[in-house]
Amino acid sequence: MSNLPAFHIVIPARHASQRFPQKMLADLAGKPVVQWVYELALKAGAESVTIATDHEDIFSAAEGFGADVVMTRTDHENGTERLAEVASLKGWSGDEIVVNVQGDEPLLPIGLIHNAVQALADDKESEMATVACPIHREEDIFNPSVVKVVCDAKGRALYFSRATMPWDRDGFAQSPQQIAEDYPALRHVGLYVYRVSLLGRYAQMPMSPLEKWEKLEQLRFLHQGIKVQVALTKELPPHGVDTPEDLAALTKKLMTQ
């Protein structure tokens, strides 16, 4: 995209993980997981790529493979707070754009990053953007692990939920768990793009009741009336590294390419 606006990438790399402790440094086909993500991010054409961590081991490893790495506080609740600290430390202006690329997504398509950045740049009223794709499997609509999003006429998020939404009152009454072809919910993909000005206000936003119940941090923004543009992609991106089993499967895939 030759007309893509300038943007920064920050990779939050937390050491602790409930399902897979120390996964950022786990060996993936000869390199740490976070190094794969960093090298992928370098190809996206960002103004800068920064790893933001809270642990000396990740900091040292990142320095070792030549990354720009920042040590952040250990008390952040989520990656958004870590991004806000990095933006402050770097002195980025409020109108600059920052992409949160998860440190466990070594196969994230670069096109997805570009689409989300462009979506935010094209919508002057929105302060952040995210990504969604069609839901191809009916069982995903009823799966609480699959986060759904519904959008307004301008492509902005109306609500995110783990629940089945919207509820097809007549259709579900006749044929439970049968989804109509025009069912409007999309599957949320956890890639976020922010204007720096929003990150600067995030730390002062209290957790919303919606976020508390759904365990979805993006609901904090909707609760505060912040507009969230949703970029569309056709397919769900490749799975990241959430568990040791994911690591083994991804290693096998990379070794055979």
Side-chain angles (χ1 to χ4, degrees):
M1 289 188 179
S2 58
N3 61 339
L4 194 69
F7 63 98
H8 303 279
I9 291 176
V10 177
I11 304 169
R14 192 169 62 95
H15 192 64
S17 173
Q18 290 183 340
R19 285 188 288 179
F20 190 178
Q22 304 178 38
K23 67 179 177 180
M24 294 294 170
L25 297 180
D27 182 83
L28 174 61
K31 293 185 287 191
V33 170
V34 70
Q35 183 175 350
W36 283 93
V37 178
Y38 180 76
E39 292 175 355
L40 176 148
L42 288 177
K43 300 174 184 177
E47 295 286 298
S48 69
V49 179
T50 305
I51 294 175
T53 188
D54 60 356
H55 199 278
E56 287 287 352
D57 289 350
I58 297 176
F59 188 92
S60 297
E63 277 195 325
F65 58 75
D68 175 18
V69 56
V70 171
M71 182 67 77
T72 58
R73 302 200 319 264
T74 59
D75 60 346
H76 291 309
E77 290 184 5
N78 49 52
T80 306
E81 289 187 3
R82 211 171 298 282
L83 255 70
E85 184 181 356
V86 172
S88 177
L89 291 171
K90 296 283 189 179
W92 293 332
S93 63
D95 60 349
E96 292 189 78
I97 294 174
V98 184
V99 183
N100 180 347
V101 172
Q102 298 294 332
D104 57 3
E105 298 282 353
L107 297 183
L108 182 72
I110 290 172
L112 217 62
I113 297 173
H114 292 170
N115 289 347
V117 168
Q118 192 66 60
L120 181 58
D122 290 344
D123 184 353
K124 303 305 181 184
E125 294 182 23
S126 289
E127 294 186 84
M128 62 179 288
T130 190
V131 179
C133 67
I135 298 176
H136 298 294
R137 302 190 308 171
E138 291 179 345
E139 58 264 34
D140 287 345
I141 287 289
F142 302 92
N143 182 353
S145 295
V146 175
V147 177
K148 276 71 70 174
V149 58
V150 289
C151 301
D152 67 12
K154 294 183 178 180
R156 298 171 184 157
L158 286 169
Y159 192 65
F160 298 87
S161 184
R162 298 182 183 279
T164 304
M165 67 163 197
W167 189 259
D168 185 355
R169 187 195 65 174
D170 297 334
F172 289 164
Q174 296 174 11
S175 302
Q177 301 201 8
Q178 293 291 314
I179 307 302
E181 288 186 7
D182 59 348
Y183 194 74
L186 297 165
R187 179 173 184 149
H188 180 228
V189 178
L191 175 73
Y192 296 103
V193 181
Y194 306 92
R195 299 192 196 279
V196 169
S197 56
L198 174 60
L199 289 174
R201 305 197 315 272
Y202 179 76
Q204 282 70 51
M205 295 180 191
M207 179 182 288
S208 76
L210 302 172
E211 178 186 3
K212 175 185 174 183
W213 287 104
E214 295 262 19
K215 298 295 187 287
L216 297 172
E217 76 172 89
Q218 61 268 37
L219 291 175
R220 186 179 308 191
F221 297 105
L222 291 187
H223 187 74
Q224 296 292 330
I226 290 161
K227 295 178 175 64
V228 181
Q229 182 60 235
V230 179
L232 300 180
T233 183
K234 293 181 180 179
E235 298 291 339
L236 189 68
H239 193 61
V241 180
D242 291 331
T243 66
E245 292 74 21
D246 293 336
L247 182 71
L250 197 52
T251 297
K252 183 177 180 181
K253 180 176 181 177
L254 290 170
M255 296 294 281
T256 56
Q257 284 183 349

